[in-house]
Amino acid sequence: MRCFVAVELPAEVRRELGDLTRGLCRYLPEARWVRPELMHLTLAFLGEVADDLPGRLRAPLAATGARHPAFNARLGGLGAFPGPGRARVVWVGMEAGADELGALQKDVVGALVPAGYVPERRPFSPHLTLGRLRTPADAGAAVRRHFSGRGFRVERFVLLRSVLRPDGPEYTELESFALKAPAA
Ligand code: 2AM
C-alpha cells in the first residue's frame, strides 16, 4: 500500500484554504487545485510499503509523538516549487510553528529509517501543497497575493494510506499519534 505521514488541519483552516485556492484560480487556470478536504502538511512520504509496515511503525511513531509537545501553528505566505517563474507546485508556508514542525519531521524520519525509509536528501521545507501544474507556469502573480491564515493547534499527526483514483487520491487514516500534552 501507499502511505505517508502528515499533520491534518482543522476544518475551518481547510475552508479558508479552499477560499484561497478559488481566488488563485484566475491566476493559474491550468493548475489542478488540491481539494480542501485532502489538504495536509506532509512530514514523510513512504511510497509503496508492505502491508505489515504500518503495524511495525506504531510503537516508534507513538514514541516520537510523546517526545514533542503540542504546538501552535499558522499557515501563511505563498510560494512555488521549484520557483515562481516555472512553478510545478504552488504552496502555502507556515508563519508560526515551522520550527516545531521541522523538529517533529526530523524525529519522524528518524523513527521511519530503521523500518527501511530512505530520507529525502533535500532539507525539509514546511509547506502545504495547494495546487500542481503539469506544465511549469509563471506563478509570480499568484504567489504575490497576501495570505495569512488563522491559528490552529497541532496536537497529533497521522499515518495515512493513499489510494490513487482517476478522480484524485483518497486518504484513509491508519494510525493517529498524539503529541505530548503541555505540563499542567
Ligand atoms: P507535497 O504536499 O509536498 O506535494 C501524499 O501524496 C503527499 O505526499 C503529498 O502531499 C506530497 O507532498 C507527498 N509526497 C512527497 N513525495 C512524494 C512523491 N514522490 N509522490 C507523491 N507524493 C509525495
Side-chain angles (χ1 to χ4, degrees), residues 16 41 71-78 91-101 126-128 145-152:
E16 65 181 1
L41 288 156
F71 59 93
N72 295 324
R74 194 175 60 253
L75 299 172
L78 302 178
W91 48 260
V92 59
M94 290 186 83
E95 286 181 351
D99 290 348
E100 293 89 337
L101 192 79
H127 71 276
L128 179 141
R145 301 265 304 185
H146 173 78
F147 176 76
S148 184
R150 59 162 76 202
F152 62 99

Side-chain angles (χ1 to χ4, degrees), residues 55-70:
R56 290 200 283 128
L57 292 176
R58 195 176 298 134
L61 287 177
T64 300
R67 283 193 291 269
H68 290 261

Side-chain angles (χ1 to χ4, degrees), residues 2-6 34 38 40-47 81 89 120 122 125 127-130 132 162 164 169 171:
R2 185 182 160 96
C3 296
F4 62 103
V5 180
V34 177
L38 299 182
H40 58 267
L41 288 156
T42 306
L43 297 178
F45 177 75
L46 290 118
F81 292 143
V89 167
E120 299 230 13
R122 57 189 169 200
S125 168
H127 71 276
L128 179 141
T129 295
L130 296 171
R132 298 186 173 87
S162 165
L164 300 177
Y171 301 147

Side-chain angles (χ1 to χ4, degrees), residues 133-176:
L133 292 132
R134 247 186 266 273
T135 308
D138 183 357
V143 303
R144 278 194 295 276
R145 301 265 304 185
H146 173 78
F147 176 76
S148 184
R150 59 162 76 202
F152 62 99
R153 200 151 172 81
V154 177
E155 291 178 318
R156 60 186 204 125
F157 63 95
V158 290
L159 178 64
L160 296 176
R161 176 176 191 180
S162 165
V163 176
L164 300 177
R165 304 219 182 267
D167 54 343
E170 186 182 287
Y171 301 147
T172 315
E173 184 179 306
L174 297 175
E175 300 283 346
S176 174

